[in-house]
Amino acid sequence: MSASHSSVSKSISLLALAWAVTAAAIPAAADAREAPTRSAAAQPGIDQRYAAADSFMGSALGDLIDNADVAPRFVEGGLFYRTGNRLDQRYQFLDLASQQTRQVTTTTALLAALTTAKGAPVTADDARIAEVDFDPARNEVRFRAFDGALWSMDAAGRATEVEKADHKVFDLLSPDGKTKIVARSYNLYAVDVATGREVALTADGTREQPYGRSIPELSDILREGTEEPAMPVSGQWSPDGRYLLTWRLDTRDVKKLSITQQNPPGSFYPRSFSYIYPLAGAEKLPQAARLVIDVRDAMKKGKARIVPMQVPSESILYPSPPDMGWLDGKVRMLWTERGYKQQAVYLADPETGAAKVIAHEAVKPVVTVTSSMIFPSPELGGELSISERTGWAQLYLVTPDAPDGGKALTTGEWEVLTVDNVAEDKSSLIVTGVGREATRNPYWRALYRVPAKGGALTELTPEPLDHNASVSPDGKWIVDQMSNPTSPTRAVLRDGASGRIVKELARADDSRLLARGYTPPEPFKGLAADGKTPIYGMIYRPAHFDPKRSYPVIDNVYTGPTTTDVPATWSEARRVAGNSVAQIGAIVVMIDGTGTSRRGQAFRLPAFQNLGEVGLDDHIALIRQMAARYPYMDVTRVGVFGGSAGGYDTARFVLRRPDFFKVGVSSSGNHDLRLDKTWWPEVSMGYADEATWERNSNMSVAGQLKGHLLLVHGDIDDNVPVTESYRLAKALMDAGRDVDLIVMPNATHNVYRPFFWKKLRDYFTQYLLGETPPALGPVKAAAPAAQAATK
């Protein structure tokens, strides 16, 4: 740990740090140091507060902000970006050579083109325009619309659908277009495109051991209504079109999950499926064996030779293909040992399969792949590795002659997040990092130029803000959207060599949002439960906030060590759900306690094999420090909500600290980590024993519930199986506790629909605010029986 984590010697320093705020508080909050009094103004009615919650959520909130994200794309000869907001977007092209800007199109023009193409009026809500791109050479705009279909608009403003939303290419076409690989009956065939002649490349494939076929995802199974949906060939041609690199899956003896969709669209009857989903608690996982086939030779001889790559079989930790590709005519493969004990990069001869390790990573207790990575850098003669071997994620150049070594390109007690560019002359790299500048918030990103031969770094983004940056492929330009939660985003174009600001592109503006009474969020810095480690949080207050009132506190939680939760940017701070939930009449907080990412390995290690306890008391400590600063925060009325791993946390907080957290709304929670996909739990738990898994299971502490807990889950959750919430509900019932459970029909992992938000608000309104939720609308008259029967 860095020196900043050492204990503070004087109590006055401790108290000052506990109450420190990273940015000026909003005026109403800054003077609120007295206990709430009876002179508080009347609070808006619950109907009005629910309406405010709707207006400060999702696209409704985003429509009140201009230039929140310019969405930069470097295209041939220039920069394509946008200004405005969803309802009035203006798309610009900046010629990087002349520095001249011209408007390419607008939301209005795109909607007009779609209206003409559809023959009926199309609104922004109908169109759901996304992924807008521009080809300057053809003066063509491409974008996704409606259900995700790809559209094109030409210079004359004519829109054409060029690709259906469900478009998939199943065959694998060679680089020269003359040969394609097709899959049939779990085997692979090479087909001459011109003549249709085909040669079998494999012959012994089975359902449990197919070639070139990944594990079907639940979403594909549900979409096609079969456990064996059509899938693209999984493999890669060599650049010269001679070899096929592919793999063979082995799911023998792997336990399956089952799911029943009770209300499939268009069908009266339920349907059930069994499917493979690699689980952290499984004794046996699906295996992948990589192989190469000389297709050119097979087409000549009418017979194929399979060359197994001489690397260990690899456990599949998620339904996706193993990491492999081509590098200078060789096969490059990243291999991960189950439990993340080690990773190795192999380079293999496609003719013989002989392989050698060219880079290796083994960090105890686990290789945390969300904070480290290995990727090829042939221009520098090896592999670039972001490694925690010193306790901090730093960048190394690893060469084949010393796979366990590596030259440190960066050093210090800070973290490298990404490598954004390698200079064409190989002299330097541009990286994004956090925590290097001691006087700044440790979560704020900055860009640095790193000499390839070692030496001092050059900071390219010196402003004390978070820098959300995109680097052009040639490294000559940087688009930097800099901000912090209290400073609106300023988008600029920088010179890639020096970082000098060349041109301002846009400034974010939330004046229309503020005019609606919106209360901006406030960053808060305090101390963890140990009394010495600085941690960070965010406070969200309702619109027209009144410091003379008393407000319950709701913690929007996600302690997952794979990431951080508290927004670091101005735009993110306005997009999170806390903006909406606070409007019911509560103070919503977000907190990054110990065990989370981007603060070094030692800061995250309390989470190792301890997901059920990590950060819990840090959240309580910081909420108490917030309330000491702002007495209108009522710590006798504290609730908590979160989704996915935050759903796990929510239940855990209510179960493990029931005298503090009185009410919880847990959505899509992975309540027993053994029933979650392998990679997420094992990257923090390793290959744990049964006692460790059980200790971290929410079922093991179900009997500790005192307050109110609402479990919400989608019945076709394709990320965290719905069985997790069923099992926790059963454990609570068996323990003689109460529980509320909502299973949302035809909902996946994302349950954030209007009904969900209504139930969340209702739950906190009833059990935390002590009020009655708004009444439902008028009852609709039933259709006559004869008429109803025809529908």
Side-chain angles (χ1 to χ4, degrees):
M1 300 292 281
S2 68
S4 65
H5 290 201
S6 63
S7 48
V8 182
S9 58
K10 296 181 180 179
S11 60
I12 188 170
S13 299
L14 255 177
L15 188 60
L17 183 57
W19 284 357
V21 178
T22 58
I26 60 174
D31 298 328
R33 297 168 189 263
E34 299 179 0
T37 70
R38 293 185 179 181
S39 62
Q43 187 170 216
I46 194 66
D47 288 338
Q48 294 171 283
R49 282 178 270 151
Y50 270 46
D54 284 334
S55 66
F56 290 155
M57 174 180 285
S59 61
L61 183 147
D63 293 344
L64 297 173
I65 302 175
D66 293 319
N67 305 330
D69 179 10
V70 300
R73 291 174 180 257
F74 286 101
V75 297
E76 187 65 33
L79 172 69
F80 183 63
Y81 67 100
R82 69 190 186 193
T83 58
N85 61 73
R86 182 182 70 99
L87 301 177
D88 184 23
Q89 212 87 67
R90 295 171 293 282
Y91 296 92
Q92 318 281 352
F93 175 73
L94 169 64
D95 186 305
L96 292 171
S98 67
Q99 290 294 300
Q100 297 300 306
T101 302
R102 66 180 175 90
Q103 183 169 285
V104 174
T105 190
T106 64
T107 298
T108 301
L110 292 173
L111 292 177
L114 291 173
T115 292
T116 300
K118 289 285 189 179
V122 174
T123 67
D125 289 334
D126 297 330
R128 301 189 297 278
I129 294 169
E131 299 179 27
V132 183
D133 207 348
F134 178 57
D135 182 349
R138 301 176 61 178
N139 205 15
E140 175 193 35
V141 176
R142 288 202 166 198
F143 57 97
R144 299 281 177 181
F146 304 111
D147 55 356
L150 181 63
W151 287 74
S152 169
M153 188 177 77
D154 62 19
R158 291 185 296 266
T160 307
E161 185 180 71
V162 296
E163 186 178 281
K164 297 289 185 183
D166 57 357
H167 173 77
K168 280 191 175 183
V169 177
F170 294 99
D171 301 336
L172 189 63
L173 193 64
S174 63
D176 62 9
K178 295 181 178 180
T179 309
K180 64 181 180 180
I181 307 299
V182 302
R184 188 167 63 247
S185 301
Y186 311 111
N187 285 294
L188 298 178
Y189 299 81
V191 181
D192 184 281
V193 173
T195 65
R197 173 177 170 265
E198 67 176 42
V199 173
L201 302 181
T202 68
D204 59 340
T206 65
R207 182 179 183 182
E208 291 185 319
Q209 291 183 283
Y211 289 94
R213 181 179 173 86
S214 192
I215 300 172
E217 294 193 35
L218 181 58
S219 57
D220 294 323
I221 291 171
L222 292 168
R223 185 184 62 254
E224 296 195 25
T226 173
E227 294 174 3
E228 295 295 316
M231 297 180 65
V233 171
S234 179
Q236 297 181 45
W237 284 95
S238 60
D240 63 2
R242 177 177 176 180
Y243 296 104
L244 171 68
L245 169 62
T246 186
W247 61 293
R248 191 179 193 185
L249 173 67
D250 187 351
T251 62
R252 290 175 297 175
D253 301 322
V254 174
K255 289 187 179 297
K256 293 185 176 182
L257 287 176
S258 62
I259 192 168
T260 296
Q261 186 178 22
Q262 299 289 350
N263 290 274
S267 174
F268 181 75
Y269 297 101
R271 57 182 187 173
S272 299
F273 302 99
S274 293
Y275 65 105
I276 294 289
Y277 196 53
L279 299 174
E283 181 178 346
K284 184 174 179 59
L285 291 180
Q287 298 296 304
R290 300 163 171 98
L291 56 100
V292 168
I293 300 172
D294 188 334
V295 178
R296 189 177 296 169
D297 185 66
M299 294 300 285
K300 289 180 180 177
K301 298 179 178 178
K303 184 179 180 181
R305 180 174 67 96
I306 296 175
V307 180
M309 298 295 97
Q310 296 173 21
V311 300
S313 176
E314 183 174 31
S315 295
I316 297 293
L317 308 178
Y318 188 78
S320 59
D323 189 322
M324 57 187 186
W326 293 93
L327 180 65
D328 296 333
K330 303 287 187 180
V331 177
R332 179 193 179 275
M333 299 161 285
L334 176 64
W335 176 87
T336 302
E337 183 178 358
R338 183 176 182 182
Y340 293 94
K341 295 178 181 178
Q342 60 176 324
Q343 284 191 313
V345 177
Y346 288 86
L347 202 62
D349 184 335
E351 271 295 299
T352 66
K356 66 176 182 178
V357 175
I358 60 171
H360 180 248
E361 180 79 354
V363 175
K364 293 182 178 180
V366 290
V367 178
T368 306
V369 294
T370 51
S371 295
S372 59
M373 65 188 74
I374 310 173
F375 49 97
S377 183
E379 63 270 55
L380 296 180
E383 299 276 325
L384 286 171
S385 173
I386 298 176
S387 168
E388 290 187 305
R389 63 187 70 174
T390 65
W392 296 86
Q394 294 297 313
L395 182 64
Y396 300 83
L397 176 61
V398 181
T399 51
D401 58 317
D404 285 294
K407 175 184 178 182
L409 301 182
T410 63
T411 58
E413 296 184 349
W414 58 288
E415 293 211 357
V416 175
L417 300 182
T418 58
V419 175
D420 303 285
N421 179 262
V422 177
E424 293 179 348
D425 65 2
K426 308 175 186 179
S427 63
S428 64
L429 309 87
I430 296 176
V431 306
T432 297
V434 290
R436 186 172 183 267
E437 317 309 320
T439 59
R440 297 182 198 167
N441 182 305
Y443 299 100
W444 290 353
R445 292 165 291 181
L447 264 67
Y448 302 92
R449 182 169 295 283
V450 179
K453 294 184 179 180
L457 277 60
T458 301
E459 186 179 6
L460 300 174
T461 52
E463 298 82 1
L465 298 164
D466 177 83
H467 295 272
N468 177 18
S470 302
V471 182
S472 64
D474 60 9
K476 294 180 179 179
W477 304 99
I478 299 169
V479 175
D480 179 14
Q481 300 191 80
M482 52 182 166
S483 71
N484 68 34
T486 60
S487 299
T489 308
R490 181 188 177 202
V492 299
L493 179 70
R494 294 182 181 272
D495 176 82
S498 65
R500 176 179 60 87
I501 295 176
V502 176
K503 187 180 184 68
E504 181 166 300
L505 303 175
R507 287 180 183 252
D509 179 8
D510 64 348
S511 57
R512 288 181 293 120
L513 178 62
L514 294 173
R516 299 284 186 93
Y518 176 74
T519 304
E522 176 193 348
F524 192 94
K525 180 181 178 181
L527 295 173
D530 63 7
K532 60 183 180 181
T533 304
I535 60 172
Y536 295 76
M538 193 77 71
I539 301 173
Y540 291 87
R541 301 173 177 86
H544 307 295
F545 163 75
D546 182 355
K548 295 183 175 63
R549 297 195 62 82
S550 175
Y551 293 90
V553 180
I554 302 176
D555 188 351
N556 182 188
V557 65
Y558 191 102
T559 68
T562 58
T563 185
T564 60
D565 195 32
V566 178
T569 72
W570 186 86
S571 180
E572 288 173 346
R574 279 146 187 78
R575 289 203 306 264
V576 296
N579 288 290
S580 173
V581 176
Q583 307 312 315
I584 66 172
I587 304 293
V588 174
V589 301
M590 300 177 74
I591 296 166
D592 280 328
T594 54
T596 51
S597 288
R598 298 193 173 187
R599 296 275 298 275
Q601 187 188 46
F603 187 87
R604 190 184 62 249
L605 273 182
F608 179 66
Q609 296 191 344
N610 191 38
L611 296 184
E613 302 295 312
V614 68
L616 203 167
D617 290 326
D618 293 340
H619 280 243
I620 294 175
L622 202 65
I623 290 171
R624 291 194 183 280
Q625 291 165 46
M626 291 173 175
R629 170 87 171 164
Y630 302 121
Y632 49 75
M633 295 175 65
D634 184 356
V635 294
T636 68
R637 295 185 293 157
V638 181
V640 57
F641 78 98
S644 195
Y648 167 86
D649 295 329
T650 294
R652 195 76 180 190
F653 278 31
V654 172
L655 294 171
R656 290 291 291 122
R657 298 293 184 271
D659 294 325
F660 189 82
F661 294 100
K662 310 291 179 60
V663 183
V665 178
S666 165
S667 59
S668 310
N670 54 337
H671 300 293
D672 192 307
L673 302 167
R674 288 167 289 192
L675 288 170
D676 198 3
K677 64 273 179 194
T678 310
W679 87 265
W680 195 94
E682 290 195 6
V683 80
S684 301
M685 298 282 288
Y687 194 20
D689 58 30
E690 284 301 307
T692 302
W693 289 122
E694 183 64 22
R695 175 170 50 84
N696 283 272
S697 169
N698 281 344
M699 289 60 155
S700 69
V701 291
Q704 299 178 20
L705 179 65
K706 291 183 179 180
H708 298 276
L709 177 60
L710 172 62
L711 305 178
V712 184
H713 221 115
D715 69 339
I716 55 171
D717 192 323
D718 51 357
N719 188 324
V720 174
V722 67
T723 186
E724 300 253 27
S725 287
Y726 280 129
R727 291 180 68 86
L728 180 55
K730 176 65 163 54
L732 288 162
M733 295 173 192
D734 290 346
R737 303 292 89 192
D738 195 11
V739 64
D740 294 304
L741 172 65
I742 295 174
V743 177
M744 296 186 63
N746 297 329
T748 60
H749 194 57
N750 182 357
V751 296
Y752 303 134
R753 303 176 181 185
F755 181 81
F756 167 80
W757 291 116
K758 181 188 183 304
K759 296 304 291 186
L760 179 143
R761 296 170 193 165
D762 288 354
Y763 212 72
F764 286 129
T765 295
Q766 181 176 356
Y767 294 119
L768 202 63
L769 276 67
E771 299 183 52
T772 301
L776 297 175
V779 174
K780 296 181 180 179
Q787 180 182 350
T790 63
K791 291 186 176 180

